[in-house]
Amino acid sequence: MHAPEAHTQDAHPAWPNRPCIHAWGKALHRTAPLLMALALLTACSAPTRRPAPPRLISGAVPEGYTEHVRLLASDVEQFAKRSPEFFQGIRDSSTDGSIDILALSGGGAGGAFGVGALTGLSRAHTHPQYELVTGVSVGALLAPFAYLGTDWDDAMQQAFGGDATTHLLGSPRSTLLARLISPMGHHHGSLYQLVDHFVTPAMVEAVARENAKGRRLVVATTDLDKSETVLWDMGAIAARGGEVARATFRDVLVASASVPGMFPPVLIHVQDGEHHYDELHVDGSVTTPVFTTPLIAELHPETLSMLHGANLYMIVNSQVHRFPKTTPVKTLPLLISSFGAGLTFKTREAIAETIAISRQLGIRFLMTSIPVDYPETSFIDFNPANMRALFDYAANCAEQGKLWVTPEQGLRRNLMAHSTPPKGPPSCPTEDPAITPQGH
């Protein structure tokens, strides 16, 4: 009579015993008031907002701007309409006969790698004038500095060095709790303050001057209401001029870097004729971790013909491969690891798409990323010592001409790395014996 019961227990060895269930019940009873209080606080703190634009494709734009200020990444018709003038401007702006493009990825605290890489290129005098710069998330924050060139290196280092980013995030646990209680925050947060400080009138005016030459600066956000990538022409924003342009420029950058759960989303007020709406924008990496052209460009390849023979450089502010580790079975590590894994695989997909379009257009594509044998990085690790070490690593590699590799070489280096992290200082991206240095 007891044999079937014993068999059932063997079949489900992980099923908790009664004492565990009893303890869990007592814990739930103790935490129920806290959960109810959190639910009430969340309900009370929910901000009011206007409805989102009702149509996927609409003419809604921030007040004072034309539709040319941005592009919904799936709007095939508008892409085909605007791209000839856009890309012709890029070609006409070249001063040395070559088109140089820079794409900057997301990566949170890994942005120290991008700051170091750009600094090292300047030190080596191998920082070209980029006719097109694109950025997502932390890459969006770096993009204006890269676009404006070496004269802005000091401002870039001041913006992201020292104590500027030390308190960008509190502890992950308290930060998530704060977002649960107040999704939009009660005051302007640390990310807003950081960006508001470095987006000066001088920066906006400088971007407007370069945009008038045909050079382009494009940043991606994610419109949560539409579940779509939005590409913002930051030069068109800057051309608006005045404090309105500075505020919009700042808000788009903040939105692009607002990692869900870590930073509040950004409400952007838009207008379509007499109708007013609110859009909710977050980190561009939610939908696209790095980009050169929107995916819809493949439907109109003829519009990209003016990029034929261009030089494309991609800085990936993260590791696209990682050594395995045991993930703690706890909610916060599970969330962080899951988000990181998703970002890693989407970045690989974006690189693969870029390889395909580069081959199609005869574009010379070089990239760099944090190698797998660099000590493991985390997109939420804003420890000053770790960020400084990553900055120095990238700056030294760039200064020595050991930064750029082809995507195939980068893949080979990472996949042929040791199965466990090596001892000693990490080597530069081109220092694998099977890789010959490329590019600058």
Side-chain angles (χ1 to χ4, degrees):
M1 294 295 294
H2 296 288
E5 183 176 343
H7 176 73
T8 302
Q9 184 176 354
D10 290 340
H12 302 282
W15 186 261
N17 55 32
R18 287 183 175 83
C20 288
I21 295 175
H22 180 66
W24 181 81
K26 290 176 64 178
L28 181 61
H29 177 74
R30 290 194 301 268
T31 58
L34 176 60
L35 294 174
M36 291 180 64
L38 283 174
L40 288 172
L41 283 170
T42 302
C44 293
S45 64
T48 57
R49 55 165 293 190
R50 299 184 184 98
R55 294 186 298 146
L56 178 62
I57 307 297
S58 73
V61 293
E63 187 174 358
Y65 296 93
T66 69
E67 63 180 7
H68 290 85
V69 76
R70 64 182 189 170
L71 175 72
L72 193 72
S74 60
D75 192 340
V76 180
E77 181 179 347
Q78 284 297 318
F79 176 79
K81 178 180 177 181
R82 300 183 205 170
S83 56
E85 180 182 359
F86 182 89
F87 292 117
Q88 185 62 54
I90 291 173
R91 177 164 287 281
D92 292 344
S93 67
S94 175
T95 57
D96 60 2
S98 67
I99 298 175
D100 294 299
I101 303 170
L102 176 66
L104 297 160
S105 86
F113 178 79
V115 176
L118 293 170
T119 300
L121 292 172
S122 294
R123 291 174 181 172
H125 304 290
T126 55
H127 189 310
Q129 172 186 282
Y130 300 109
E131 281 69 46
L132 170 62
V133 177
T134 70
V136 183
S137 196
V138 71
L141 303 187
L142 303 183
F145 298 101
Y147 177 77
L148 294 176
T150 57
D151 290 344
W152 287 76
D153 281 356
D154 289 343
M156 176 178 65
Q157 293 174 39
Q158 291 173 13
F160 300 101
D163 296 329
T165 56
T166 302
H167 304 293
L168 200 55
L169 277 180
S171 72
R173 192 179 305 276
S174 63
T175 299
L176 282 172
L177 180 60
R179 294 286 73 78
L180 284 172
I181 295 175
S182 179
M184 298 296 293
H186 296 297
H187 304 287
H188 293 314
S190 55
L191 177 61
Y192 175 97
Q193 293 169 0
L194 172 72
V195 180
D196 185 62
H197 180 73
F198 76 69
V199 175
T200 60
M203 169 181 279
V204 176
E205 291 167 6
V207 169
R209 286 194 299 270
E210 295 305 312
N211 178 72
K213 301 175 184 177
R215 298 179 62 217
R216 301 291 181 245
L217 172 62
V218 184
V219 161
T221 65
T222 296
D223 184 336
L224 281 184
D225 299 316
K226 296 178 179 177
S227 300
E228 288 277 353
T229 304
V230 179
L231 305 179
W232 296 82
D233 188 334
M234 305 303 284
I237 294 175
R240 169 70 169 74
E243 179 58 24
V244 171
R246 193 192 80 83
T248 307
F249 198 101
R250 172 202 63 210
D251 290 348
V252 171
L253 292 184
V254 173
S256 183
S258 291
V259 179
M262 296 289 105
F263 300 108
V266 175
L267 273 178
I268 295 182
H269 305 293
V270 296
Q271 182 177 354
D272 187 0
E274 297 180 354
H275 302 285
H276 294 262
Y277 307 100
D278 282 344
E279 296 175 345
L280 200 62
H281 289 253
V282 296
D283 191 344
S285 292
V286 170
T287 50
T288 180
V290 64
F291 72 97
T292 305
T293 60
L295 187 61
I296 56 173
E298 296 186 14
L299 299 178
H300 290 275
E302 70 282 357
T303 63
L304 302 178
S305 60
M306 283 176 280
L307 297 182
H308 183 81
N311 300 311
L312 169 58
Y313 305 95
M314 180 181 289
I315 297 178
V316 178
N317 293 299
S318 63
Q319 293 169 307
V320 293
H321 296 85
R322 292 179 181 271
F323 291 116
K325 68 172 185 178
T326 302
T327 303
V329 187
K330 298 180 179 179
T331 300
L332 192 57
L334 287 171
L335 287 174
I336 293 173
S337 296
S338 298
F339 185 86
L343 181 61
T344 296
F345 273 85
K346 283 193 295 183
T347 301
R348 290 185 196 172
E349 290 177 349
I351 293 171
E353 292 167 1
T354 306
I355 292 173
I357 199 165
S358 295
R359 289 175 176 172
Q360 180 182 353
L361 296 173
I363 291 176
R364 177 173 175 259
F365 178 25
L366 298 175
M367 64 170 290
T368 190
S369 64
I370 306 174
V372 66
D373 55 344
Y374 188 88
E376 184 178 357
T377 62
S378 170
F379 69 95
I380 60 171
D381 179 14
F382 290 94
N383 179 286
N386 294 341
M387 293 188 69
R388 181 69 201 189
L390 185 55
F391 168 89
D392 289 338
Y393 165 78
N396 292 334
C397 290
E399 194 170 3
Q400 298 173 47
K402 299 178 178 179
L403 185 69
W404 302 114
V405 295
T406 67
E408 294 82 2
Q409 290 168 335
L411 177 65
R412 181 177 180 182
R413 169 187 166 83
N414 285 320
L415 293 182
M416 293 182 66
H418 299 289
S419 59
T420 57
K423 297 180 180 179
S427 57
C428 289
T430 63
E431 288 183 330
D432 183 276
I435 294 178
T436 302
Q438 297 283 327
H440 297 298

